Amino acid sequence: TGIIILFFLVIVVRLFYLQVVEQTYRLSASNNVLRYVTQYPARGLVYDRNGELLVYNTAAYDLMVIPRQLQTFDTTEFITILGISKEFLETNLREAKSHSFFRPSIFLKQVSAESYAVLQEKLFKYPGFYVQARSLRAYPKDIGAHFLGYVGEVDDRIIRNNPYYRMGDYIGISGLERTYEYELRGRKGVNVYLVDVHNRIKGSYADGRFDTTAVLGKDLKTTIDVTLQEYGERLMQNKIGGIVAIEPSTGEILAMITSPTYDPNLLVGRPRTTNFRALESDTLKPLFNRALMAMYPPGSTFKIVNALIGMQEGVVRPQTRYSCDGAYRVGRGVACRFHPSPTDLVQSIQVSCNTYYCNVFRNIIDKPGAGGVEGGFTIWKNHVESFGFGKKLNVDQPNELAGIVPSIPFYDRYFRKGGWSSLTIISLAIGQGEL
C-alpha cells in the first residue's frame, strides 16, 4: 500500500510541476491552438511647409502560405497573376515546407494592389494561401529622394538591438524616414485567432479580448518648399553638385538638392533590390548625398568672411582701396577678371575682385605682432571657425559631415614647418578654387 501511495504521489507532484510550474509545455500548447496575426500601421505622411503632400502610403500585401493546407492548383495561372517564375514558386514552397508544414510563411512580399485585386477574386482556388495587408511608401513627385530617405527591411543587427522589430518588418534607412522613424512608424497591433490541428482559423480567441489595435504613425510637416525644391532640381539636371537653401532668420532648410539624384519611387516595392543595385553601381553615384557629405571649396562667397575678419583685425577698412589690372601678380599670381579699378571694400564685393582679397588675406596672415605667419594664420582660423565653418550644423538628417578648415599641421605636412607663407596659402587656395 505504501509503495502504491508513493508511486501516485510522485505522479501527482510531477503533473503539478509540468502543468503549473513549468511554462514550456503551456507555451507550446498555446502556440498549437493560437495564431498571432500582426496588424501593421500605416506610416505617417510627410508634407512640405505649405501642406503639399511629399510622401504617402499605398496598399501592398504579403502573400502567406501554410504548406499543410495546400492542394493541387493551376500553377500557370497562379504565376501569371503574380508575375513570378515557376522556379520561384517551387523554391519558395520548398523553403516554406522546410520552415514548417503547419505554420504560415511569407511566400511573396509586397504584392501590388493591382495584382492583389486579380488574386483576391481567385484566391479560393488556392487553399493554403492567404494575404496579410501591408503598406508601401509612394511619392507624388519624383523629387527630394535624399532628404526624404527610403524604407527597407530590418536585418538581424536591428532586431538584436531593438526588440520591437521582427523579421519582415520595415524601418527608415536614410533621410527623414530614418531620423523620425519612431514618430513615423506608429505602433503595431495584433489579432489572436483560434486554429485547429491543421492551423485553420476557427475564430477570434476570447472574443478579441487579447487583440490590440494598431496605432497610425504621426504625420510630419517639413520646412521644405516643394516649389523651390523642384526648381532647384531642374537647375541641377545634368550637373554634379548640391544646393541648400536656408532661411537666415530661422535656419529652416527650404530646399536640399543633390545632383545627380533619382526617383524615390525606384526604391519601393519588389523592384527595390534591382533598382538599388543599379543606382549603387552607377559611376555618377546618384545615392551619394552631395548636399551633406561632399567637400566643396566655398568660392567667392568666402570673400565676405575674409572682409569681416580683416575689419575685425584692423587690417582693412571700408575705405581701403586696391588696384587690379586683371591679376594679383605676387608669387605665382592669381587671375581676376577686368573690372573698374581701384575698388574699395564694398565695390570689391560687388565685382568679386580676387586681387583685393589676396591683399586682405595676406594682411591678416602677415599682421605685425601676430607672432609670424603661424600666429596670424591661427588668428584667421579661429575667426573662420567662429562662423561655424568646419563644424556640423546638426540638422535632422543622418550622415552629415563637417567641412574642413586647414590647420597648421596640414601646411607643415605639405610644405614642412617654416617652409610656407601667406603666399603659399593663397596659391593653394587658388588651386582649389576657394577665391
Side-chain angles (χ1 to χ4, degrees), residues 2-13:
I3 292 173
I4 293 174
I5 292 174
L6 178 62
F7 179 75
F8 278 101
L9 185 61
V10 169
I11 293 176
V12 169
V13 171

Side-chain angles (χ1 to χ4, degrees), residues 172-226:
I173 302 296
S174 67
L176 294 178
E177 295 281 11
R178 175 175 170 180
T179 302
Y180 295 101
E181 164 65 15
Y182 181 80
E183 290 80 9
L184 289 170
R185 76 184 184 191
R187 189 173 70 244
K188 292 181 290 188
V190 64
N191 289 343
V192 187
Y193 297 101
L194 280 170
V195 296
D196 62 15
V197 67
H198 298 300
N199 211 31
R200 293 174 296 200
I201 292 178
K202 309 305 291 183
S204 181
Y205 174 65
D207 294 325
R209 273 184 300 160
F210 297 98
D211 294 351
T212 58
T213 304
V215 178
L216 297 178
K218 295 179 181 178
D219 293 343
L220 191 66
K221 186 174 182 179
T222 70
T223 62
I224 295 294
D225 185 317
V226 68

Side-chain angles (χ1 to χ4, degrees), residues 46-113:
V46 182
Y47 298 89
D48 86 331
R49 66 189 299 108
N50 300 312
E52 187 163 348
L53 189 62
L54 295 175
V55 187
Y56 65 101
N57 299 300
T58 58
Y61 307 88
D62 287 346
L63 183 60
M64 314 295 290
V65 62
I66 303 173
R68 177 63 178 79
Q69 297 177 12
L70 289 175
Q71 298 178 11
T72 302
F73 61 92
D74 185 346
T75 57
T76 301
E77 181 187 53
F78 187 73
I79 64 177
T80 301
I81 293 173
L82 296 176
I84 59 177
S85 65
K86 187 175 181 181
E87 292 73 18
F88 182 93
L89 171 68
E90 294 171 349
T91 300
N92 282 30
L93 286 180
R94 192 161 51 247
E95 290 178 356
K97 291 175 182 177
S98 65
H99 170 69
S100 173
F101 259 82
F102 299 96
R103 297 187 180 282
S105 302
I106 296 179
F107 172 79
L108 182 61
K109 298 177 183 177
Q110 300 177 350
V111 176
S112 68

Side-chain angles (χ1 to χ4, degrees), residues 308-365:
L308 292 171
I309 296 173
M311 288 192 292
Q312 180 70 28
E313 289 301 310
V315 299
V316 66
R317 294 180 298 165
Q319 300 80 16
T320 302
R321 299 167 71 86
Y322 287 105
S323 296
C324 176
D325 61 356
Y328 177 72
R329 302 189 184 281
V330 181
R332 289 172 54 185
V334 177
C336 186
R337 65 187 183 86
F338 287 99
H339 54 75
S341 178
T343 61
D344 61 19
L345 184 64
V346 173
Q347 293 168 336
S348 71
I349 293 173
Q350 290 174 337
V351 299
S352 190
C353 179
N354 285 344
T355 299
Y356 194 98
Y357 286 94
C358 285
N359 283 297
V360 171
F361 183 65
R362 186 173 182 182
N363 291 344
I364 297 170
I365 302 300

